[in-house]
Amino acid sequence: MLKPRCIFSLVVISLLILGGCGRSADSGGVAEFGSTAEETAMVDALARRYGALGQGGAPRLLQGMMTTKFENGVPVDHVVSYNWGVEELHAWVAYDNLEGDTLKAELVSSVGTTLDVQEVRAKGTFGRANFTFQRGEVAWSAGKYQVILTAEDAEEVVEFIINNFDTHASRLVITDGQLALPGAELVPGAASGNWQVADVPQPEDGFSQLIRGSDRVLAVNYRGSIASSGDGEQWTLHEPDFNVAPTRFGWANGRFFGFTSSRTHQYTSGDGSSWTQFEMGTHDPLVSIMYTHDGYVGRSERNHALQSDDGHNWQRYGYAVEGYHSLQNIYLDDVGLFTYHDGLYWWIRDGAIESGTKMEDMTVHTSEGLGSVSGGQVLFGSSKTLLYTQYRLYHWEGNRITEIDSDNTGGGFVKIFVHGDGYLAVRSNGNIYRSGDAVNWDRFDDGPGGLESVTDAAFIGNRLVLIFGGRIYSLAL
């Protein structure tokens, strides 16, 4: 395990490292700041965070980071994880009070093996240094790495990941001459790259889910905290006086619903602010809801299908069998995907698709090689119907399902949306991809940055909204 030797640290994951050391590359050298607009913005940002540079005192190494490349003397982005096929790893650091001193960069594996060492001599009172580490003959091993930067008694340790996913980097954006450094504490209303942080207090345990209604979206958590927005940019925090806080939410027929494990504490709301309590009677509480030609249809905690005409009074959704006096239950426990579209219910079960106007009379469409779709989602687009899980993406056409072979859809997608004439996909690391045909995907925008993950995504107005690390972020499109 790596020892906590760092001043500036990025969260890391363990690795298995290649035998031997990587090939050393010549350092990008050192230089004083000020020759480019980007360097000037960086100097100002460092001064705001660490105090004025060039004022004398003890040697300092400031703001070490990994990047995909350097432009005009500064990193273009802040990398938290590289794809294992990259040819080069780039490290950058600023220094202060190191006139003529040697600055060393050491690339280290998770087991403490030194893979490469580079040294440069500092020029001027303060400046910046960049280092490039070349890959060997084979790809990097997946896991965590360190670049240990030392000079005199100063040390800065940068920790990062190498894995089989796309390189995850947050762009360093200069707005009105100011550069936002990575690692800054985000506050409501702040920006992270192109992403806007919602100007609303974050609950202690963060938000976890987005519920999209007809004209607004709710951000919720399992303790009943709710924030609502009609445009994805302006948010209002609500503190409903729930007797028992809902842990699950849904939307159907113009209303939001909140469900608890108590039959007497179920809730409905038109705007997410004012909530009305109702009871489930003798039926188990609901975990999901939709609106169909049969009225409201829900799934209970014991996976029974339930029906309601008004959303408050519920009964079993069952079917009559000759010789029996009561309805037969419809169980949803072995259904991998359950949705409603264009007047039909759709189930996916055991590698087959079933559809019909009534749940008890479904037509089976066989599909070879579908496999498990646990947690899967379906997207009925105007030109293509997509079925996707976290790691697989399928084209669903008639009775045939074909897996889409695309390097950019290899895993980690949280949501895919119909957008314009094509599709927009949100990956778990926050990166956004765009495609015209759902086969060839291009990176559209980097995520907010950091080692958090996306738990949900939704469109509202012209903005894409994410729950990333428990915070609400939005991006204008």
Side-chain angles (χ1 to χ4, degrees), residues 251-257 259 268 286 288-299 305-315 317 345 359:
W251 182 86
N253 194 31
R255 288 192 287 174
F256 294 101
F257 289 82
F259 307 122
T268 183
L286 298 173
S288 64
I289 192 170
M290 64 179 66
Y291 192 73
T292 77
H293 59 270
D294 290 320
Y296 295 91
V297 175
R299 181 175 187 158
L306 301 179
Q307 186 274 336
S308 172
D309 293 328
D310 58 9
H312 285 184
N313 300 289
W314 291 83
Q315 57 272 338
Y317 184 123
Y345 296 103
M359 291 189 186

Side-chain angles (χ1 to χ4, degrees), residues 170-208:
S170 178
R171 286 182 293 176
L172 298 184
V173 179
I174 299 176
T175 305
D176 297 329
Q178 289 201 344
L179 184 149
L181 293 173
E185 180 65 25
L186 287 173
V187 297
S192 179
N194 296 321
W195 294 85
Q196 184 73 26
V197 183
D199 191 9
V200 63
Q202 179 186 358
E204 182 178 351
D205 45 4
F207 294 101
S208 57

Side-chain angles (χ1 to χ4, degrees), residues 29 42 58 72 80 119 150 171 238 268 297 328 345 456 472:
M42 177 64 80
N72 296 325
V80 294
E119 294 184 352
T150 55
R171 286 182 293 176
H238 306 290
T268 183
V297 175
Q328 302 299 298
Y345 296 103
D456 208 352
I472 306 170

